[in-house]
Amino acid sequence: MLLMMMMSAMMCHMVKSKEHFVGGSEFGWVPLPANNLTNWSLNEHFHLNDWLYFGYDRRYFNVLEVNKTSYENCIDAGFLKNVSGGAGRDVFQLTKEKTYYFLSGGGYCRRGLKVAIDVNDYVAPAPAPTPHKSGASALDAYNIYHSLVVLILILMCSNFLG
Ligand SMILES: *[C@@H]1O[C@H](CO)[C@@H](O)[C@H](O)[C@H]1NC(C)=O
Ligand SMILES: *[C@@H]1O[C@H](CO)[C@@H](O)[C@H](O)[C@H]1NC(C)=O
Ligand SMILES: *[C@@H]1O[C@H](CO)[C@@H](O)[C@H](O)[C@H]1NC(C)=O
Ligand SMILES: *[C@@H]1O[C@H](CO)[C@@H](O)[C@H](O)[C@H]1NC(C)=O
């Protein structure tokens, strides 16, 4: 049963390795007021191994991964990773369950060109078998347990797809 759950969960993940256009469109990496990236990020769900796509005008913007402090204070020196490839079309894979921070140099961070990406792959723990009332057979208990597992899997998958 546990094995079945784990395999199904893994299948959900495989189906789901999704690409997110940062900012919600192909050229979404733009500062305020054109785009509110904070709001975009709050309305997206990011899962392990998903991809981010940054599309932007390379003459003005770039993409740097920074730590939380630098993100909050818009510091582009001492970045963690230069995501910019030079073409204004960059991809980045979310391989860790953590919060990633990105910003643009050139002073655009202060104009809102930054985003925090919270990768959260929380998987509900297996439910404890329901204690069976007197009168219910072990088979009934098993069937209830089985239905619960299936229900949880459906919920998990729809959450992944949402
Ligand atoms: C935030 O994003 C949601 C969904 O993308 C959108 O409907 C809403 O208008 C946005 N709000 C602001 C303040 O940008
Ligand atoms: C951007 O969206 C966030 C979250 O919805 C909101 O709190 C913030 O006020 C918005 N910023 C601007 C400048 O509209
Ligand atoms: C974040 O990065 C900045 C710039 O490299 C560095 O000065 C600072 O110590 C770092 N902070 C943490 C908590 O790692
Ligand atoms: C990041 O890398 C690109 C491509 O190599 C380069 O053009 C750009 O100058 C780099 N940006 C920074 C801030 O180092």
Side-chain angles (χ1 to χ4, degrees):
M1 182 63 68
L2 190 63
L3 190 68
M4 191 191 94
M5 258 190 86
M6 280 162 58
M7 277 168 58
S8 309
M10 273 162 61
M11 274 161 59
C12 288
H13 281 247
M14 287 191 305
V15 168
K16 179 66 199 311
S17 192
K18 163 175 172 180
E19 186 174 65
H20 305 263
F21 286 122
V22 175
S25 67
E26 212 175 328
F27 294 99
W29 187 240
V30 286
L32 288 163
N35 212 347
N36 183 337
L37 291 156
T38 308
N39 186 45
W40 170 78
S41 172
L42 287 173
N43 287 288
E44 282 282 306
H45 299 282
F46 304 98
H47 299 281
L48 214 54
N49 297 323
D50 279 4
W51 291 86
L52 298 178
Y53 176 97
F54 296 86
Y56 56 95
D57 189 332
R58 63 178 176 181
R59 288 173 298 170
Y60 307 112
F61 316 128
N62 64 7
V63 185
L64 303 171
E65 187 196 356
V66 296
N67 65 23
K68 188 166 192 267
T69 318
S70 296
Y71 170 83
E72 281 163 357
N73 299 294
C74 281
I75 299 164
D76 57 9
F79 54 81
L80 297 172
K81 189 182 179 191
N82 178 6
V83 180
S84 312
R89 298 185 301 268
D90 303 313
V91 289
F92 184 96
Q93 192 174 24
L94 304 165
T95 56
K96 294 204 180 86
E97 216 170 331
K98 65 168 191 176
T99 306
Y100 289 86
Y101 301 95
F102 302 94
L103 56 72
S104 173
Y108 293 102
C109 175
R110 296 208 176 278
R111 288 169 54 183
L113 196 47
K114 61 172 178 176
V115 73
I117 304 287
D118 189 20
V119 181
N120 189 342
D121 250 13
Y122 177 71
V123 172
T130 40
H132 46 95
K133 295 171 260 167
S134 56
S137 71
L139 188 62
D140 285 341
Y142 175 82
N143 283 339
I144 291 167
Y145 180 47
H146 185 258
S147 314
L148 266 175
V149 169
V150 170
L151 185 66
I152 285 168
L153 280 175
I154 290 168
L155 286 173
M156 271 164 51
C157 285
S158 56
N159 182 38
F160 287 153
L161 294 168

